[in-house]
């Protein structure tokens, strides 16, 4: 059954050294991490952006915070970790297979240089990135270019995916409506992905430090519109002008925590597919409800009201995908996780309670 969707995944990795220490902005250099990227194969995909500085030439690149001089010339990039981004594919299966293949290539290149890619939603040792030295005049102007530029320091301690979807035939108004729907229901979607129960070296008392800090200040969903479509002013952004022809019509869901493996990403893509197809859910919001995200970040699906609301979204997605067997199968697997009130963070906390060290937990 063809629904006219195309998919992509952008997945952020943290990095451990082989001695168990974290290789982040406090201890690693851009050049060290770029050495891993340099060892990976060149790619030639016109659908992927290279970025203003040309750093994003491959399906893998160093994610970080760029610093500039007074003339706007790049002087350094403080690294956060590495990002994998798939090409655009016509099915969830092809997309997750591409991510798995590229993750395996990254793992080999990183380990050869004493680094181990790991999945976690929040920096487990450092809760904040300090912009040092303070922004100069050019940087202050640059960082006011969008709400996301202004809050870019927050992303330095958080790790997550952009789950990208597009559907043939959706015009600008319909795309905005989808973005507003996903933004409204984000607090009850994200608990399925929670994977950040640690901060400052210990459990913090909840399941998603990433959600507690990030969502509200930064978007839950973002849609990319064509040159003739009306942009919606909001803080954080709901819409952006497409930077490439391939981006026109893209819907990015940005609020999930980074997930280990690829199975859960596939299930979440099917859930988003169903919610985009759904025509029954009434909720709409232009900006995320930060307070609601903070409330769910602690208990996640252990809270009965959250569990009920998430279950209702699974119901709506299933109703919207009759006959789409692969999507329905992935939703059935996701429903099993929901029934167990399970997310990656609950497994991390269980293993931590059994005496697992933090580096060993992250390394799997």
């Amino acid at each position: 059954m063809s629904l006219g969707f195309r998919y992509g995944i952008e997945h952020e990795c943290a990095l451990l050294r082989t001695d168990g220490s974290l290789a982040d902005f406090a201890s690693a250099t851009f050049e060290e991490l770029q050495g891993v990227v340099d060892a990976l194969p060149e790619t030639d995909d016109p659908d992927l952006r290279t970025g203003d500085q040309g750093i994003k030439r491959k399906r893998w690149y160093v994610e970080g915070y760029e610093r500039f001089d007074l003339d706007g010339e790049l002087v350094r990039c403080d690294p956060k970790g590495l990002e994998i981004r798939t090409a655009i594919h016509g099915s969830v299966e092809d997309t997750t297979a591409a991510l798995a293949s590229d993750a395996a290539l990254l793992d080999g290149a990183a380990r050869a240089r004493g680094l181990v890619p790991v999945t976690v939603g929040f920096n487990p040792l450092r809760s904040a990135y300090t912009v040092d030295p303070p922004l100069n005049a050019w940087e202050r102007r640059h960082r006011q270019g969008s709400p996301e530029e202004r809050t870019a320091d927050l992303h330095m301690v958080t790790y997550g995916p952009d789950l990208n979807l597009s559907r043939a035939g959706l015009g600008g108004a319909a795309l905005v409506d989808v973005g507003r729907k996903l933004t409204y229901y984000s607090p009850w979607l994200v608990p399925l992905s929670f994977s950040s129960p640690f901060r400052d070296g210990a459990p913090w008392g909840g399941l998603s430090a990433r959600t507690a800090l990030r969502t509200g200040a930064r978007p839950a969903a973002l849609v990319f519109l064509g040159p003739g479509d009306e942009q919606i002013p909001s803080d954080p952004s709901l819409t952006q002008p497409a930077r490439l022809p391939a981006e026109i019509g893209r819907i990015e869901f940005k609020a999930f925590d980074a997930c280990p493996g690829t199975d859960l990403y596939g299930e979440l893509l099917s859930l988003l597919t169903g919610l985009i197809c759904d025509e029954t859910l009434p909720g709409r919001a232009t900006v995320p409800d930060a307070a609601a995200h903070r409330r769910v970040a602690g208990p996640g699906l252990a809270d009965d009201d959250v569990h009920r609301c998430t279950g209702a979204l699974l119901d709506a997605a299933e109703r919207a995908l009759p006959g789409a067997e692969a999507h329905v199968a992935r939703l059935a697997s996701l429903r099993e996780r929901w029934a167990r009130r399970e997310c990656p963070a609950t497994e991390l906390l269980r293993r931590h309670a059994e005496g697992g060290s933090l580096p060993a937990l992250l390394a799997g």
Side-chain angles (χ1 to χ4, degrees):
M1 178 181 180
S2 175
L3 299 170
F5 279 85
R6 302 181 78 199
Y7 302 95
I9 298 174
E10 301 169 55
H11 168 73
E12 295 175 332
C13 305
L15 294 162
L16 293 179
R17 302 189 192 280
T18 51
D19 65 4
S21 62
L22 190 67
D24 64 357
F25 54 83
S27 64
T29 65
F30 174 85
E31 290 74 20
E32 180 183 15
L33 272 57
Q34 183 62 36
V36 176
V37 176
D38 289 343
L40 291 160
E42 292 283 346
T43 59
D44 182 18
D45 192 326
D47 292 341
L48 298 179
R49 290 181 65 242
T50 59
D52 296 338
Q53 305 301 322
I55 292 172
K56 304 177 182 180
R57 293 183 297 104
K58 301 183 178 184
R59 293 195 302 274
W60 311 263
Y61 66 90
V62 180
E63 183 75 82
Y65 192 95
E66 295 170 346
R67 300 303 309 269
F68 301 88
D69 65 18
L70 287 167
D71 296 320
E73 295 295 322
L74 180 69
V75 294
R76 78 171 202 256
C77 178
D78 294 343
K80 154 186 162 178
L82 293 171
E83 180 162 314
I84 308 168
R85 52 185 182 158
T86 70
I88 298 170
H89 295 275
S91 71
V92 171
E93 295 87 346
D94 287 346
T95 308
T96 54
L99 178 61
S101 175
D102 285 350
L105 288 171
L106 174 61
D107 189 72
R111 287 178 184 271
R113 287 155 183 79
L115 297 167
V116 181
V118 296
T119 297
V120 66
F122 193 83
N123 188 310
L125 300 181
R126 283 170 274 278
S127 291
Y129 164 77
T130 300
V131 179
D132 184 30
L135 298 178
N136 62 37
W138 188 93
E139 291 175 313
R140 287 195 297 273
R141 291 192 300 272
H142 172 67
R143 293 295 176 187
Q144 292 303 313
S146 73
E148 288 63 59
E149 288 287 356
R150 194 185 68 246
T151 58
D153 59 303
L154 295 181
H155 94 96
M156 289 293 286
V157 293
T158 67
Y159 300 86
D162 287 348
L163 296 189
N164 302 329
L165 306 89
S166 62
R167 189 182 192 188
L170 285 185
L175 286 166
V176 170
D177 188 64
V178 166
R180 296 186 70 238
K181 178 198 287 189
L182 296 180
T183 296
Y184 180 88
Y185 289 105
S186 173
W188 303 286
L189 291 170
V190 293
L192 293 160
S193 73
F194 284 168
S195 68
S196 45
F198 305 114
R199 62 186 300 175
D200 300 317
W204 67 277
L207 299 177
S208 181
R210 180 181 192 267
T211 299
L213 176 73
R214 176 199 176 281
T215 307
R218 292 177 70 81
L222 197 60
V223 296
F224 291 84
L225 302 178
D229 296 322
E230 181 182 359
Q231 298 290 323
I232 306 299
S234 64
D235 187 350
S237 299
L238 176 69
T239 65
Q240 291 258 315
R243 299 156 294 186
L244 293 171
E247 278 190 342
I248 297 174
R250 176 179 295 178
I251 303 153
E252 288 188 353
F253 192 79
K254 305 175 77 70
F256 289 129
D257 280 16
C259 298
T262 59
D263 288 349
L264 184 50
Y265 280 154
E267 293 165 14
L268 294 172
L269 279 171
S270 287
L271 176 58
L272 294 173
T273 300
L275 294 179
I276 292 169
C277 292
D278 162 79
E279 297 180 353
T280 65
L281 294 169
R284 301 293 187 273
T286 300
V287 297
D289 185 332
H293 282 87
R294 286 194 295 270
R295 284 195 299 272
V296 304
L301 294 171
D303 180 276
D304 287 341
D305 286 339
V306 174
H307 189 256
R308 175 181 52 78
C309 291
T310 303
L313 296 178
L314 284 166
D315 292 343
E318 289 171 348
R319 288 194 303 266
L321 293 170
E325 295 181 4
H327 286 302
V328 171
R330 282 187 291 269
L331 287 175
S333 177
L334 191 58
R335 184 175 287 281
E336 291 175 4
R337 299 179 194 267
W338 168 83
R340 296 191 298 266
R341 304 187 184 226
E342 173 187 286
C343 64
T346 55
E347 173 64 11
L348 287 170
L349 287 171
R350 183 190 66 78
R351 290 164 51 206
H352 182 269
E354 293 175 351
S357 68
L358 196 50
L361 291 175
L362 299 182

